[in-house]
Amino acid sequence: MQTADFARSAKASASVFPVPANMYAEKVVSVTHYTDRLFSFRVTRPHSFRFRSGEFVMIGLPNAERPVFRAYSIASPAWDDELEFFSIKVPDGPLTSHLQKIVAGDTVLLRQKATGTLVLDALTPGKRLYMISTGTGIAPFASLIRDPETYEKFGQIVLTHTCRDVAELEYGAGLYRQSVEDPLIGELTNGRLTYYASTTRGKFPRMGRITALIEEGRLFTDIGAAPFDPAGDRVMICGSMAMLHDVKALVEKAGFTEGSHSQPADFVVERAFVG
Ligand code: A2P
């Protein structure tokens, strides 16, 4: 971004604080509230901002001289003109207590570099890609299921999303509908993208933690697949620390090896944003 753009953006934020160096100051385009715990928002995308689907970026607000920044997975695909994020609302969270109040036209700060492990390059080729998520952990997969590269690399995609209550599934359910109905992405997802949702507290046709559904074998019988097999399956995991720990233990028990950019392998993990 040019200096003049920075000055314009900073002014538009109506903030008394200058935009810190190496930041983008972007406009909020829209905000959707799902529950008292979850909301999503879209911001304008700087022309020079590049990322790979599945990566995260640091986000802050221009509300202090030294703004609080937190890592947010980018929920929109790499080809999108805007950037989308899916966030928790923590009443006394240093960032989200303020972020949950943003409206269209407000300014959000973005650090200029995106990074993260939930990228296709960190996995070796396989037939079926499982994306296992809880809560806001669905965000990086919201990006990846809308990226054509995912379908070039894998024949079948299984997106699992588990939340406490039914209303918390709404973002993911809408995303799945949109991906299937979109004329371009729909052609790719057709018959290849499985959406597998469950709740653990609110009444829903499928209930149970994803760890239990995996251990009991219900996930596999429900989707008509064999149990996890590192020969053809690849797994991406995103959720709370406890969830990462438990799902990781299950895939490791099944013989999977953790991958990274420098050493692609069978599965990758990333913590969903908290606070
Ligand atoms: P539960 O209701 O049994 O705690 P949260 O909103 O707290 O991040 O939780 C999102 C979902 O992740 C909830 O359905 C929650 O189930 C589930 N969950 C929490 N801990 C684990 C874990 N260790 N393994 C699998 N799922 C978990």
Side-chain angles (χ1 to χ4, degrees):
M1 195 186 258
Q2 302 299 310
T3 317
D5 288 335
F6 258 117
R8 242 196 324 275
S9 301
K11 189 164 169 251
S13 76
S15 164
V16 291
F17 300 104
V19 175
N22 305 319
M23 298 282 160
Y24 293 119
E26 295 304 310
K27 280 266 159 292
V28 176
V29 177
S30 59
V31 185
T32 308
H33 292 272
Y34 296 93
T35 67
D36 57 1
R37 291 209 314 144
L38 295 172
F39 72 112
S40 68
F41 57 97
R42 292 178 70 86
V43 306
T44 50
R45 177 174 176 176
H47 293 302
S48 53
F49 182 69
R50 295 273 169 273
F51 69 99
R52 289 179 294 178
S53 296
E55 286 188 321
F56 66 81
V57 66
M58 304 303 287
I59 283 193
L61 285 171
N63 60 357
E65 197 150 0
R66 297 173 130 249
V68 173
F69 279 85
R70 290 288 183 268
Y72 268 86
S73 290
I74 302 163
S76 45
W79 48 260
D80 203 328
D81 289 341
E82 294 172 354
L83 299 172
E84 181 179 310
F85 301 95
F86 184 44
S87 178
I88 193 101
K89 304 175 193 175
V90 180
D92 53 359
L95 178 59
T96 62
S97 58
H98 303 290
L99 194 65
Q100 63 180 282
K101 294 181 190 140
I102 54 169
V103 293
D106 284 353
T107 298
V108 167
L109 302 177
L110 257 64
R111 288 232 170 99
Q112 293 188 351
K113 199 174 151 24
T115 185
T117 54
L118 298 182
V119 291
L120 295 167
D121 291 348
L123 296 172
T124 47
K127 293 195 181 104
R128 180 180 279 115
L129 174 60
Y130 287 92
M131 301 172 172
I132 313 257
S133 68
T134 54
T136 57
I138 194 173
F141 305 139
S143 175
L144 282 159
I145 65 163
R146 291 182 277 181
D147 188 332
E149 201 188 332
T150 304
Y151 301 89
E152 281 163 25
K153 294 206 162 165
F154 294 93
Q156 294 290 325
I157 317 296
V158 181
L159 169 65
T160 84
H161 192 209
T162 305
C163 293
R164 298 178 188 184
D165 297 310
V166 182
E168 295 179 338
L169 293 173
E170 193 184 323
Y171 175 76
L175 173 79
Y176 174 69
R177 273 196 305 276
Q178 186 195 323
S179 309
V180 170
E181 286 163 11
D182 183 276
L184 294 176
I185 298 299
E187 236 170 76
L188 298 169
T189 59
N190 191 11
R192 296 170 64 195
L193 173 65
T194 305
Y195 168 66
Y196 189 84
S198 71
T199 60
T200 48
R201 303 186 196 189
K203 203 162 161 9
F204 190 63
R206 185 183 297 115
M207 293 191 69
R209 284 188 172 190
I210 192 62
T211 39
L213 297 167
I214 292 170
E215 278 187 297
E216 292 159 7
R218 188 162 162 210
L219 165 64
F220 308 106
T221 44
D222 283 351
I223 66 168
F228 282 150
D229 181 353
D233 297 331
R234 297 291 173 264
V235 183
M236 291 176 151
I237 312 165
C238 191
S240 63
M241 280 310 269
M243 176 274 198
L244 297 185
H245 174 271
D246 293 354
V247 180
K248 186 176 163 174
L250 288 178
V251 296
E252 282 180 337
K253 200 169 124 198
F256 287 66
T257 305
E258 187 165 0
S260 65
H261 295 152
S262 54
Q263 225 161 357
D266 312 322
F267 80 95
V268 280
V269 299
E270 199 142 82
R271 188 183 186 183
F273 168 77
V274 277

